[in-house]
Amino acid sequence: DELSPGDPMYNIPWVMRLSGPINFDAMQMALDKLIARHESLRTTFPSKDGEPVQLIAEHMPVKVVAEDLRDCSQQQIQARLTKLAQVSMNLRTGPLVAMHLLQTDNDETLLSLVIHHIIFDAWSHNIVLRELAGFYNAELGIAPFAPPQLNIEFADYAAWQRDWLGSQDYVRQLEFWTTQLDDAPGVLELHTDKPRPPVQTSNGANAYRMLPKDLLEGVRKISVERGCTLFAVLMAAFNVLMSRYSGQEDIVVGTPIAGRKRTELESIVGFFLHTLAIRGDLSGNPSFVEFVDRLNRTVLEAFAHQELPFESLVEALDPERDTSRSPIFQVMFVLQHVDVDWSMFNDIKAEPVEFEFGTAKYDIMFFVFDANDQLSVRLEYNTDLFEPATIERMIDHFEVLLTAIVADASQTIGELPLLTASEE
């Protein structure tokens, strides 16, 4: 934020479609109670002697803004959602939460909520959704709501982490990661459609795809047979894809981990996740199952050393900085298990809405969602590097690759097909 104040790259936006009558006053009260409950949502980051500090406000008013878009086209509504997602937030003064209720039909409202990543992560999303609905229902007298008592807050975690940074465990984990990434390639040489700008941008777009249902069952079967997680199999497939696209056998892919190993952290809104740099060794043209075993060992070791902040790793490795790329890795792989009760607002039907954020944090962020016994993909990409057709083709190739793996995982990674029938 110091380098690019107010950049919306680290805004986390999401939108729900609510079908049914909405009580705007009750929604405002629900948001007020949510913010009063969680210190993170009332935290700002002013500077003191040139260093950022956490300042927790006793009150942080956030007005729920109502807009009437009933006369707008779908294109205009989507454009409005993108603009709301790109709101510029001031980390020093706040608030770092913005909420809009957009009426798009007489009986349909879009709830847009944008929260800055510095106080929020994917795990927090479900907490906020559940508690916002709970407080809303309670305001209307539909059902009482008593969320679990918070015995600690994010500031307590921050203080604990600060103390941990001087511990022997910190030194041990730092040694693990510096050894793990010693002489690792700092760049994944993907072929881009456009010249890479001299300074990395955050201009982005998303492509979405629902994968055939039988793929999830097949991938789960492989994970059971190899004694590993669904994540390890899908991450291995993504590694193969990136290897084929770059021509590299040694690649580093980022992935987030929740960072909530302590049970008392499970109900707190805040930024707990850590980023892990997973190094994939595809040398020797192993079979896919052999590569899964190899990568799974790497993943398990990474998870066992997950507390180290990524920023500490970058500082220790001190890679040659290139303003056109992010350090250590330029692509991320994310698997998310979606388990949301969309009946949370009782008699109001709620469902998620896909829309364009307009931003990208890396060259590519490859999201795979495991929901309702089916896999879906969202590929976030930097539009200053890639054309939409290239990204759609990348998803095509991932689907072809995954289909071939499910059909015969004993094939070597070099034998696995990538091209679609129209490309062969």
Side-chain angles (χ1 to χ4, degrees):
D1 189 74
E2 288 290 313
L3 292 171
S4 183
D7 193 317
M9 175 170 60
Y10 284 101
N11 289 353
I12 300 184
W14 46 276
V15 175
M16 286 191 300
R17 179 179 289 107
L18 303 177
S19 301
I22 303 298
N23 187 309
F24 289 79
D25 291 337
M27 195 66 78
Q28 178 70 68
M29 291 296 293
L31 181 62
D32 291 345
K33 289 186 175 181
L34 181 73
I35 292 174
R37 171 170 160 79
H38 293 281
E39 286 186 357
S40 288
L41 301 179
R42 292 181 274 116
T43 300
T44 52
F45 301 87
S47 292
K48 182 178 180 181
D49 299 327
E51 295 291 333
V53 295
Q54 295 178 89
L55 180 63
I56 302 167
E58 187 174 347
H59 303 287
M60 180 67 74
V62 177
K63 180 177 173 56
V64 178
V65 180
E67 297 183 22
D68 189 344
L69 303 185
R70 284 177 291 183
D71 293 332
C72 295
S73 66
Q74 282 301 313
Q75 185 176 7
Q76 289 172 319
I77 292 170
Q78 287 293 318
R80 182 58 181 152
L81 292 176
T82 300
K83 187 172 183 179
L84 292 177
Q86 295 184 347
V87 61
S88 179
M89 292 184 169
N90 189 321
L91 299 190
R92 291 178 173 80
T93 63
L96 303 181
V97 179
M99 184 169 168
H100 288 71
L101 290 174
L102 313 175
Q103 190 170 6
T104 56
D105 204 340
N106 290 337
D107 203 34
E108 182 177 283
T109 303
L110 298 181
L111 187 158
S112 166
L113 190 62
V114 183
I115 304 179
H116 198 281
H117 206 350
I118 200 169
I119 59 169
F120 192 77
D121 58 17
W123 185 296
S124 300
H125 172 273
N126 284 348
I127 298 172
V128 165
L129 198 58
R130 181 175 62 250
E131 295 188 1
L132 183 69
F135 286 130
Y136 177 81
N137 293 334
E139 283 298 318
L140 294 179
I142 295 173
F145 181 63
Q149 182 177 348
L150 300 179
N151 295 318
I152 64 171
E153 288 280 3
F154 188 85
D156 300 309
Y157 168 80
W160 168 82
Q161 187 185 54
R162 177 79 64 164
D163 290 339
W164 180 81
L165 292 177
S167 69
Q168 285 298 313
D169 190 39
Y170 167 79
V171 173
R172 179 182 64 83
Q173 294 205 26
L174 184 61
E175 288 177 350
F176 166 82
W177 282 108
T178 51
T179 301
Q180 182 76 7
L181 296 173
D182 182 43
D183 73 8
V187 173
L188 184 65
E189 296 287 2
L190 297 178
H191 298 289
T192 60
D193 298 314
K194 309 170 188 178
R196 185 178 291 272
V199 177
Q200 184 180 5
T201 68
S202 61
N203 300 318
N206 290 271
Y208 298 86
R209 180 80 56 85
M210 191 71 72
L211 300 180
K213 280 196 170 184
D214 57 346
L215 284 184
L216 177 56
E217 183 179 342
V219 173
R220 280 178 173 162
K221 183 180 178 183
I222 295 172
S223 70
V224 170
E225 290 173 348
R226 306 313 298 180
C228 64
T229 61
L230 185 70
F231 171 82
V233 179
L234 291 169
M235 177 72 150
F238 181 70
N239 269 254
V240 173
L241 181 70
M242 291 295 96
S243 176
R244 298 282 282 275
Y245 263 68
S246 64
Q248 297 172 221
E249 294 183 334
D250 186 3
I251 62 177
V252 180
V253 175
T255 195
I257 193 166
R260 299 183 188 238
K261 294 177 70 175
R262 300 184 176 198
T263 56
E264 59 265 40
L265 303 180
E266 292 179 356
S267 298
I268 301 175
V269 170
F271 180 80
F272 292 90
L273 74 80
H274 290 160
T275 302
L276 306 181
I278 308 296
R279 187 174 183 178
D281 174 13
L282 296 98
S283 62
N285 194 27
S287 68
F288 181 77
V289 289
E290 289 172 340
F291 177 57
V292 167
D293 293 345
R294 184 185 298 178
L295 187 67
N296 187 52
R297 288 191 293 271
T298 302
V299 168
L300 291 176
E301 289 178 347
F303 286 0
H305 299 82
Q306 63 177 270
E307 285 89 357
L308 185 78
F310 182 69
E311 297 78 9
S312 295
L313 176 60
V314 175
E315 184 178 355
L317 291 175
D318 192 22
E320 183 177 343
R321 297 309 292 264
D322 179 349
T323 57
S324 70
R325 309 173 194 264
S326 55
I328 313 300
F329 60 82
Q330 295 81 48
V331 301
M332 287 196 78
F333 177 83
V334 185
L335 173 63
Q336 291 186 348
H337 299 278
V338 181
D339 184 21
V340 178
D341 178 11
W342 292 106
S343 63
M344 79 244 339
F345 284 98
N346 288 62
D347 56 341
I348 299 175
K349 179 184 177 184
E351 59 183 346
V353 175
E354 292 179 354
F355 70 102
E356 190 53 71
F357 306 165
T359 58
K361 299 177 183 65
Y362 296 93
D363 291 3
I364 287 173
M365 284 191 74
F366 200 96
F367 294 84
V368 179
F369 300 93
D370 173 11
N372 302 319
D373 292 323
Q374 190 163 2
L375 293 175
S376 62
V377 167
R378 175 169 74 85
L379 205 165
E380 177 184 292
Y381 63 99
N382 189 303
T383 52
D384 290 324
L385 300 177
F386 301 103
E387 296 287 356
T390 298
I391 297 303
E392 290 291 343
R393 190 162 59 249
M394 185 178 291
I395 300 177
D396 288 341
H397 292 163
F398 182 73
E399 183 176 336
V400 170
L401 185 64
L402 212 55
T403 301
I405 289 168
V406 167
D408 182 8
S410 66
Q411 297 178 82
T412 66
I413 57 176
E415 293 173 329
L416 290 168
L418 205 66
L419 302 181
T420 63
S422 61
E423 293 176 306
E424 290 177 346

